[in-house]
Amino acid sequence: MSERIYDAIVVGGGPSGATAAADLAAAGRTVLLLDRAGRIKPCGGAVPPRLMQDFDIPQSLLVARARSARMISPSDRKVDMPVGDIGYVGMVDRDVFDEWLRKRAAEAGAERLTGTFEQIERDERGTIVCYRRERGGETERVRTRLVIGADGARSAVARQNIANAERMPCVFAYHEIIRSPETDSDVFDGSRCDVFYQGKLSPDFYAWVFPHGETASIGLGSANKGFPLRETVATMRGELGLEECETIRKEGAPIPLKPLKRWDNGVDVIVAGDAAGVVAPASGEGIYYAMTGGRYVAQAAEEFLSTAKPKALRLARKRFMHEHGKVFWVLGMMQYFWYSSDKRRERFVTMCADKDVQQLTWQAYMNKRLVRTKPLAHARIFLKDCAHLLGLRAAA
C-alpha cells in the first residue's frame, strides 16, 4: 500500500491558515490542517465590513458593532471619531471566530489534525512534516508536496526555512478578556473602541479597550522587552474602574511589525499571516490582512501544484504587496513619527479631531485601500500633518 502524500500541509489554524486550507480544499486539493490545541491569539478582534464581504463571513459571528473610536492623548484629551453612515467596526471573539474558519475548511474537504509542528525533513522521495499529537508523545511524520506555515509571528516553519525570518521585528501584545460592565458610561461604551496613545501605557505603541458584547478586551502592546505589560494593564483597569470586572482569560503573543522580504524558500515552503509579517503598522490590525494573505498564498500554492514550478510561490507576496504595500508604508511612517514621544502623540490625537482626517481614515479602513477620490482633502491633511509635526500648530 502506497504512502499518502498530501498536496499541502497547513501548519497553523488561525484566520490565515484556515483560509488557505479552505481555498485549496475547495479547489480539489488534498489538505491537512495541523493546529495546536487551546491556542487563542491575543487580539482586539476588529474586522471591517470588507472582510465580511470578501470572505463570506456571517453576521452571526459578530459579538458587537462599534460605531465610533475614541482616541485618548497623554494629557487625557479625548477625541471621538464616529464612523457615521459608511459602516461599522465589527468585533469578533477569536476563539469562536477561528474555530468557525477551521470548521469551514474541514467542510470544504481539508483534514484536521491537532498537534504541534516540530520540523521539516527531506529525503529522496520529497518533503516530510514532523509533529507530535501531544506533549511527550512520539514524533509522527506525514508527506506533502508543499508546506504552508501559518504558525504565528515566531513561526517555527519560517525560522527553519525562510532566510532572516528570525529577525522579524515584533511588538509583544498582552490583553485580558473581562466581563463587560453592565451599563455603559463615559469610561466604557459597548459601541466604542477606546485607543490610548500614552507613553505611560505603551512607550512605542498603544493601549486599548475594545467591546465584545458581553466581554471586553483590555490590553496594550510594546516592542520594549522590559516594559511591564501585565502590571500596566492592571493599572489601566484600576484607573478606568474596571478592576472589579471578572477576568475570563489572559493572553500574550508577539505581533509582527513588517512583512518578510521573502515568503517562500523557493522549493517547498511558503508562509502566511503573522508568519509572513502581514500585520498593519500603527494600527496592529491583522485579521483582514491575514485572511487576504492566506488567500493569495492558496492561489500561489495552486499554481505551484499545477505547474511544479517553485517560482509560482513568489506570486503570493507580489500580489499582496501590490494591493496593500502602500497602505503598510504609510502606516509605518505614521508609527515612526507619531508614536515616538508623548509630545507627538498629543499632536496626533489633535489631528484625529479633524473631520477630513476622520472621513478618510474610516473610508480607508472600510475599503482597505488609500482613498484617492478627494485630492483637496488629502492636501489639507498633508499641510495640517506637516504643521503639527513641525510644531507650527498648537497641540490642543
Side-chain angles (χ1 to χ4, degrees), residues 35 46 48 59 69 91 100 114 144 155 170 204-205 209 219 237 242 260 295 305 373 389:
D35 192 47
Q59 294 285 322
M91 309 301 294
W100 186 90
T114 300
T144 184
S155 165
C170 290
D204 50 1
F205 205 57
V209 177
R237 291 182 63 172
L242 300 175
L260 291 178
R295 177 149 290 173
L305 293 169
T373 57
L389 185 61

Side-chain angles (χ1 to χ4, degrees), residues 197-220:
Y197 295 101
Q198 300 178 343
K200 67 178 184 178
L201 299 181
S202 174
D204 50 1
F205 205 57
Y206 64 82
W208 67 82
V209 177
F210 288 168
H212 283 200
E214 294 182 356
T215 64
S217 164
I218 177 168
L220 56 92

Side-chain angles (χ1 to χ4, degrees), residues 31 46 68 76 90 105 151 174 203 216 250 255 267 283 323 367 388:
V31 179
S68 68
D76 210 36
D151 50 335
Y174 171 77
K250 303 177 180 181
I255 298 176
V267 182
S283 69
E323 183 173 1
N367 298 310
H388 279 288

Side-chain angles (χ1 to χ4, degrees), residues 326-327 330 334 351 354-365 367 369-387:
K326 289 182 180 178
V327 172
V330 169
M334 281 180 55
M351 284 185 59
D354 186 275
K355 298 304 179 184
D356 288 329
V357 171
Q358 292 185 10
Q359 184 179 36
L360 294 183
T361 295
W362 284 125
Q363 288 180 350
Y365 174 80
N367 298 310
R369 60 174 61 92
L370 295 176
V371 181
R372 298 183 175 87
T373 57
K374 296 191 175 184
L376 291 179
H378 278 289
R380 289 195 297 270
I381 290 173
F382 175 75
L383 293 174
K384 294 170 187 174
D385 191 60
C386 290

Side-chain angles (χ1 to χ4, degrees), residues 138-149:
E138 293 184 0
T139 298
E140 300 185 45
R141 293 170 172 81
V142 60
R143 291 188 178 273
T144 184
R145 297 175 61 192
L146 177 68
V147 179
I148 297 176

Side-chain angles (χ1 to χ4, degrees), residues 82-154:
V83 177
D85 298 330
I86 60 175
Y88 58 87
V89 179
M91 309 301 294
V92 298
D93 284 337
R94 285 294 300 272
D95 53 340
V96 176
F97 183 74
D98 289 15
E99 178 59 17
W100 186 90
L101 292 175
R102 290 189 287 268
K103 287 182 177 178
R104 182 163 70 173
E107 290 169 358
E111 181 181 338
R112 292 183 62 177
L113 178 64
T114 300
T116 301
F117 170 83
E118 288 192 332
Q119 64 183 19
I120 295 174
E121 296 177 350
R122 297 173 180 87
D123 60 20
E124 67 281 356
R125 296 172 54 200
T127 306
I128 304 167
V129 169
C130 304
Y131 67 94
R132 292 179 188 268
R133 291 181 186 266
E134 58 186 30
R135 186 183 299 273
E138 293 184 0
T139 298
E140 300 185 45
R141 293 170 172 81
V142 60
R143 291 188 178 273
T144 184
R145 297 175 61 192
L146 177 68
V147 179
I148 297 176
D151 50 335
R154 296 294 188 221

Side-chain angles (χ1 to χ4, degrees), residues 140-200:
E140 300 185 45
R141 293 170 172 81
V142 60
R143 291 188 178 273
T144 184
R145 297 175 61 192
L146 177 68
V147 179
I148 297 176
D151 50 335
R154 296 294 188 221
S155 165
V157 174
R159 284 186 282 109
Q160 293 175 21
N161 297 275
I162 309 295
N164 300 316
E166 72 281 358
R167 300 179 184 176
M168 179 190 293
C170 290
V171 160
F172 197 85
Y174 171 77
H175 80 160
E176 297 180 0
I177 298 295
I178 64 172
R179 189 73 60 190
S180 295
E182 293 183 0
T183 58
D184 288 347
S185 65
D186 186 60
V187 172
F188 177 85
D189 188 327
S191 64
R192 187 187 70 219
C193 294
D194 291 355
V195 186
F196 297 79
Y197 295 101
Q198 300 178 343
K200 67 178 184 178

